[in-house]
Amino acid sequence: MSSQPRAIVLLSGGLDSATALALARADGFDPLALSFRYGQRHAIEIDAARRLAAAASVREHKIVDIDLRTFGGSALTDDIPVPKDGAQGAGRRARDADEPRAPGARRPAPIPITYVPARNTIFLSFALALAEVRGARDIYIGVNAVDYSGYPDCRPEYVQAFEKMANLATRAAVTGQRLTIHTPLINLTKAQIITRGLELGVDYSLTRSCYDPDPRGAACGRCESCTLRLAAFAALRRPDPAPYAPTTPS
């Protein structure tokens, strides 16, 4: 048994969560990884999460099955095309056009069609349950509010609200074991995230970030997740080590 305090790390298999895992280790925690097979079209990330957990010698890695295709409403869990080649804005406008508004009310900031309704709330709830059972008082999540797609559940105020709720809702919290949700990437650019991860020895060739990979797991290079990632590596003058479909730049 490790003498280090435990932390639950939400590990999707993507670039951000891989860096969050490395940061949890660097912060002195014994990380327990938690991943979800939730009906996403980019389920190749689960294999990436396994590789990352193994490379980091994570003592426990749980993969939970929940099927958010039951609800749909996202290009990642429904029969909705993933926007490509800068078309994300059109996806946002189409989605928001269907949202009811009170007369005279201002339209909120557009949300992309790749947003999965309540996903981070669901994931954090599972992490909260595992933290209580495993005696962990810390959760790491790789949300980012700089180079991201505008998801409402990646904002600092959302994480703060969930942490407040968590400390009202669990036996551990009401008996004095306060829970902390760590968001070490929230104010970093994608390039800064990669730089920090490289300093910690993250092997980004193990990660997968594409919303719409091909059957072999190669990234499309054209969705918003790919373009953000490729731009960050380009800014650092480094090749992205993840595999891309032959017709896209790498």
Side-chain angles (χ1 to χ4, degrees):
M1 295 292 291
S2 173
S3 61
Q4 297 173 304
R6 295 175 176 175
I8 310 302
V9 179
L10 290 170
L11 185 65
S12 71
L15 184 154
D16 293 338
S17 70
T19 310
L21 174 61
L23 285 165
R25 181 80 80 188
D27 288 344
F29 288 100
D30 175 18
L32 308 181
L34 179 60
S35 305
F36 295 90
R37 190 184 293 107
Y38 62 92
Q40 69 271 45
R41 67 171 70 214
H42 54 306
I44 193 71
E45 281 193 345
I46 296 297
D47 293 331
R50 288 194 182 97
R51 292 192 296 267
L52 288 163
S57 300
V58 169
R59 184 161 51 85
E60 181 179 4
H61 180 203
K62 287 201 171 294
I63 299 174
V64 178
D65 286 290
I66 50 176
D67 194 355
L68 297 184
R69 291 175 299 181
T70 301
F71 307 126
S74 167
L76 304 189
T77 58
D78 209 337
D79 189 20
I80 300 170
V82 172
K84 303 280 182 72
D85 302 322
Q88 187 78 302
R92 297 170 202 247
R93 290 191 294 273
R95 180 179 196 142
D96 293 342
D98 295 331
E99 295 294 328
R101 287 186 295 157
R106 295 182 62 185
R107 189 182 298 278
I111 305 300
I113 198 63
T114 49
Y115 162 68
V116 180
R119 181 177 62 180
N120 282 349
T121 301
I122 294 166
F123 289 178
L124 282 169
S125 296
F126 274 79
L128 177 59
L130 182 59
E132 235 191 334
V133 173
R134 294 292 184 267
R137 296 165 66 175
D138 297 87
I139 295 172
Y140 277 70
I141 181 171
V143 293
N144 177 258
V146 181
D147 285 344
Y148 80 124
S149 300
Y151 301 149
D153 53 2
C154 288
R155 296 174 299 161
E157 53 267 43
Y158 162 75
V159 177
Q160 292 162 8
F162 191 98
E163 182 180 277
K164 181 177 180 180
M165 180 279 298
N167 282 299
L168 294 171
T170 62
R171 178 177 59 188
V174 299
T175 56
Q177 300 177 51
R178 180 174 178 81
L179 180 102
T180 300
I181 299 178
H182 300 260
T183 57
L185 313 182
I186 202 157
N187 293 316
L188 301 183
T189 66
K190 195 69 74 178
Q192 289 171 329
I193 292 168
I194 294 169
T195 298
R196 187 71 182 105
L198 291 172
E199 292 170 351
L200 295 172
V202 175
D203 182 356
Y204 286 115
S205 72
L206 302 178
T207 65
R208 299 292 183 269
S209 304
C210 181
Y211 288 152
D212 193 22
D214 71 15
R216 299 175 296 108
C220 73
R222 298 167 52 205
C223 68
E224 188 167 39
S225 182
C226 281
T227 55
L228 285 171
R229 177 176 172 136
L230 285 166
F233 275 102
L236 296 172
R237 298 184 178 180
R238 287 178 170 269
D240 185 343
Y244 283 82
T247 56
T248 61
S250 60

